[in-house]
Amino acid sequence: MVELRKATKGRRMSKKTRKKSSNTTGKRVATKVARAASASTGKSATKTRTTVAKKAAAKAAKTKSVAGVQEKALHKAASKPLKPKAAATVTKSSSVTLTEGAPAPGFDLPRDGGGSVSLKDFAGKKLVLFFYPRADTPGCTREAIDFTRLKSEFIATGAEVVGISADTVKAQESFRNKHQLSVPLVSDPAHQMLEAYGAWGEKSMYGKTFMGIVRTTVLVDSSGKVARIWRHVKVDGHAEAVLEAARAL
């Protein structure tokens, strides 16, 4: 009986131990599951926060980019003149006054393509000298193209055509090549010829005065004297008017 009671008590204790062990294991498993869930939730929350932060940063960058583009557009629009640029007006001509009937001032200056051009090169011929403010600007380009277009007709009258500005020889060559000009282009950066022919003077624009080239054309006859002078030239139809004057000589 005593042995039976011990065996029964042993079985009871074994069940109790197993139950306790089972409860402990269950708690451990539950704890692990809870920790895993918590970790998963933490990672998910961190990931969510990171995603939200990235989206916010991207949105901010996009907003900044759009603002920058708008600011540039506004700046560009504000930079555009509201009215066409006014032409400079001449307030004071060169101190040298060239008159019709006077001997044409001599010159010897470098030209596009190398070499130089001298008044002596045209002895016994009529000569058209057109002075323009700056190579490759709209008005000067049209004028040079017009004289090039009529070059053969000028030659038929016994006249040669030469363009002069204060641009460098390199700039004259670029001007010639870009627009396929065939008339010689003389470079006078020191303004010696420009002043001698009265094509250099004080100009005014927007209330400011400065020295610059006055668009001028001079027709020299075959004897080397000044036959005609055109000052403050308007480009449209000008080359044709000079051609008619050359034919009349």
Side-chain angles (χ1 to χ4, degrees):
M1 289 293 291
V2 173
E3 292 178 357
L4 181 60
R5 288 177 180 174
K6 288 182 178 180
T8 301
K9 186 178 180 180
R11 285 195 298 272
R12 288 176 180 175
M13 289 180 66
S14 177
K15 289 180 179 181
K16 188 176 181 181
T17 301
R18 287 196 301 271
K19 185 176 181 181
K20 184 177 181 180
S21 176
S22 176
N23 289 340
T24 301
T25 302
K27 288 180 180 179
R28 289 176 180 174
V29 171
T31 300
K32 290 182 178 180
V33 170
R35 288 178 180 174
S38 177
S40 177
T41 302
K43 290 180 180 179
S44 177
T46 301
K47 185 175 181 181
T48 301
R49 286 196 297 272
T50 302
T51 301
V52 171
K54 287 182 178 180
K55 288 182 178 180
K59 186 176 181 180
K62 184 176 180 180
T63 301
K64 185 177 180 181
S65 176
V66 171
V69 170
Q70 291 175 341
E71 184 179 355
K72 288 182 179 179
L74 289 172
H75 177 71
K76 186 176 181 181
S79 298
K80 292 182 178 179
L82 298 178
K83 295 180 180 180
K85 185 177 179 181
T89 57
V90 180
T91 58
K92 184 180 179 182
S93 299
S94 170
S95 58
V96 177
T97 302
L98 186 68
T99 59
E100 295 179 358
F107 60 88
D108 189 349
L109 293 168
R111 59 158 293 181
D112 64 303
S116 62
V117 174
S118 169
L119 180 63
K120 295 178 181 179
D121 297 336
F122 306 99
K125 294 182 179 180
K126 302 172 190 176
L127 177 61
V128 175
L129 301 170
F130 69 97
F131 300 86
Y132 55 94
R134 188 176 179 183
D136 206 24
T137 52
C140 299
T141 298
R142 293 203 318 272
E143 185 177 19
I145 288 175
D146 285 345
F147 276 114
T148 293
R149 174 173 52 83
L150 298 174
K151 180 181 177 180
S152 60
E153 295 186 49
F154 275 105
I155 292 175
T157 70
E160 298 285 346
V161 180
V162 176
I164 307 98
S165 74
D167 296 290
T168 63
V169 171
K170 185 176 181 180
Q172 301 286 38
E173 291 175 347
S174 297
F175 185 33
R176 175 201 65 194
N177 295 338
K178 182 177 180 180
H179 301 287
Q180 299 180 343
L181 305 175
S182 60
V183 296
L185 301 177
V186 171
S187 175
D188 184 21
H191 314 145
Q192 295 176 352
M193 184 180 179
L194 292 166
E195 291 185 21
Y197 281 82
W200 182 259
E202 189 177 86
K203 304 171 78 171
S204 177
M205 182 183 292
Y206 299 122
K208 295 182 179 180
T209 58
F210 57 95
M211 297 300 290
I213 298 174
V214 181
R215 195 183 300 278
T216 303
T217 299
V218 176
L219 173 61
V220 180
D221 64 21
S222 56
S223 67
K225 292 185 178 181
V226 176
R228 286 285 304 274
I229 301 175
W230 292 263
R231 299 201 186 281
H232 318 302
V233 168
K234 301 298 181 183
V235 173
D236 293 339
H238 176 62
E240 287 80 2
V242 176
L243 177 60
E244 289 303 314
R247 284 173 176 162
L249 283 181

